[in-house]
Amino acid sequence: MTTITVTVNGVRYTSDVEPRLLLVHYLREHLNLTGTHIGCDTSQCGACVVHVNGVSVKSCTMLAVQCDGAEITTIEGLASDGQLHPLQEGFWEKHGLQCGFCTPGMIMAAADLLKRNPNPTEDEIRHGLEGNLCRCTGYENIVRAVRYAAEKMAATQAADQSVR
């Protein structure tokens, strides 16, 4: 066993884990954060995307011990103060989900994209989500949801700046 300390969604955890334990299993089985989904175990689908130190990663191909000392954000940590993140709201408002299985990973990948590019074009959104598969929606509404979130985040930022 190896002892790791991580901060997940703002909460610090110290755990003894097997060195071969995948991050996705640590989150789901040790911390009971089941919003991160296991889709393929081969890094193909993106259902398991989380942020590690602010960068999106596929947690099915990362070991928990690699995250010792890291800050991790899962879909459960994206909302704040009881308010949905604009991406979560966008997926709801623009029907960017059907079965919902890919949604947490899709949202986490999109959050990383919007952090790097707050005003992406449709092509940039599609490119930014290439590593995430959806078997239900055909991606049109997913792109609309990300666009919705980008616009809402820009409007909020503009409003915040005008108050200053």
Side-chain angles (χ1 to χ4, degrees), residues 19-27 41 43 48 50-53 55-68 70-72:
R20 65 181 180 208
L21 181 69
L22 293 172
L23 177 58
V24 69
H25 294 295
Y26 175 71
L27 295 170
D41 285 330
S43 190
C48 67
V50 299
H51 295 176
V52 176
N53 294 327
V55 177
S56 63
V57 300
K58 293 181 177 176
S59 62
C60 74
T61 57
M62 184 170 208
L63 298 171
V65 294
Q66 291 176 281
C67 296
D68 188 28
E71 298 231 358
I72 301 167

Side-chain angles (χ1 to χ4, degrees), residues 95-152:
H95 310 287
L97 58 103
Q98 274 186 325
C99 81
F101 194 80
C102 72
T103 304
M106 197 73 74
I107 288 174
M108 296 305 289
D112 188 42
L113 167 68
L114 293 180
K115 184 175 69 174
R116 291 180 284 112
N117 182 357
N119 188 27
T121 65
E122 181 177 328
D123 285 342
E124 289 169 329
I125 293 169
R126 289 178 183 281
H127 179 71
L129 298 177
E130 280 179 346
N132 294 75
L133 300 177
C134 175
R135 293 181 174 105
C136 300
T137 67
Y139 300 96
E140 292 301 318
N141 290 342
I142 291 171
V143 172
R144 286 186 192 109
V146 175
R147 189 77 234 132
Y148 171 97
E151 291 168 4
K152 183 165 186 169

